[in-house]
């Protein structure tokens, strides 16, 4: 009886995780809104999940819009997808939106808080229309849910291409 050779499913190699402005203060800044978990705690949990999922993470945080744009632009051809918490730039940065479009990579937007339960100006995202999805309101868990969703999407895309 002949056995069929099954090609192993290709997996995403690298995911770029981007943290926007003031996220370096998570755990210290407004714990009632953002929780007590620090960015280092979130990154440790993300790294653990990435290992389980068989992907590698590149993590970048900046308070500077230009540095974030530069990092997104340099991601093209280097990573398979972007997990991004644009933080306050969500509502103001056409430059980040355009950089994500130019990179041509699937991106998932995440937020620690539920922006729709906050001030009116936070209800509109310039990033959402260019992201494949948005996860918000679950604290640090938003990042984990976003990573799972992005990896599942990438695995589906790669399967469809092969």
């Amino acid at each position: 009886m002949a056995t069929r050779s099954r090609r192993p499913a290709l997996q995403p190699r690298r995911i770029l995780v981007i943290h926007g402005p003031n996220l370096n203060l998570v755990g210290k800044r407004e714990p009632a809104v953002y929780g007590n978990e620090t960015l280092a705690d979130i990154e440790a949990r993300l790294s653990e999940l990435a290992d389980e999922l068989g992907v590698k993470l590149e993590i970048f945080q900046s308070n500077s819009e230009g540095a974030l744009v530069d990092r997104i632009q340099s991601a093209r051809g280097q990573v398979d997808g972007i997990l991004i918490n644009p933080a306050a730039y969500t509502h103001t940065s056409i430059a980040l939106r355009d950089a994500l479009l130019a990179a041509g990579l699937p991106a998932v937007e995440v937020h620690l808080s539920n922006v729709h339960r906050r001030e009116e100006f936070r209800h509109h995202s310039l990033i959402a229309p260019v992201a494949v999805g948005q996860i918000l309101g679950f604290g640090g868990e938003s990042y984990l849910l976003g990573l799972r969703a992005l990896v599942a999407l990438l695995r589906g895309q790669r399967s469809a291409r092969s």
Side-chain angles (χ1 to χ4, degrees), residues 54-144:
V55 298
K56 294 186 189 262
L57 299 181
E58 295 179 21
I59 299 175
F60 182 76
Q61 189 279 325
S62 180
N63 295 319
S64 167
E65 184 179 26
L68 294 167
V69 168
D70 289 343
R71 186 61 191 98
I72 292 168
Q73 287 179 356
S74 70
R76 188 180 181 116
Q78 302 300 309
V79 299
D80 297 299
I82 298 174
L83 182 67
I84 183 169
N85 183 342
Y89 290 135
T90 301
H91 324 288
T92 63
S93 182
I94 295 168
L96 281 183
R97 179 192 187 283
D98 289 350
L100 287 166
L101 271 175
L105 297 165
V108 172
E109 178 185 349
V110 298
H111 295 281
L112 298 169
S113 68
N114 180 347
V115 297
H116 301 289
R117 295 187 71 184
R118 299 185 61 198
E119 303 92 338
E120 182 75 26
F121 70 88
R122 296 186 196 274
H123 296 185
H124 181 71
S125 168
L126 295 174
I127 306 306
V130 300
V132 294
Q134 211 183 28
I135 299 174
L136 47 96
F138 295 99
E141 196 70 22
S142 292
Y143 280 93
L144 302 178

Side-chain angles (χ1 to χ4, degrees), residues 12 15 45-46 48-50 52-53 55 83 108 110 135 141-155:
I15 305 293
R45 291 176 58 202
L46 270 173
E48 199 172 289
L49 178 58
E52 285 176 34
L53 297 173
V55 298
L83 182 67
V108 172
V110 298
I135 299 174
E141 196 70 22
S142 292
Y143 280 93
L144 302 178
L145 292 167
L147 180 60
R148 284 186 188 282
L150 184 55
V151 168
L153 173 80
L154 290 168
R155 286 186 176 148

Side-chain angles (χ1 to χ4, degrees), residues 15-53:
I15 305 293
L16 174 60
V17 178
I18 294 181
H19 307 292
N22 298 311
L23 289 169
N24 55 309
L25 300 176
V26 167
K28 304 170 203 147
R29 173 184 168 232
E30 298 179 78
V33 174
Y34 300 109
N36 295 312
E37 193 173 28
T38 67
L39 194 58
D41 295 335
I42 293 168
E43 290 175 353
R45 291 176 58 202
L46 270 173
S47 293
E48 199 172 289
L49 178 58
D51 287 345
E52 285 176 34
L53 297 173

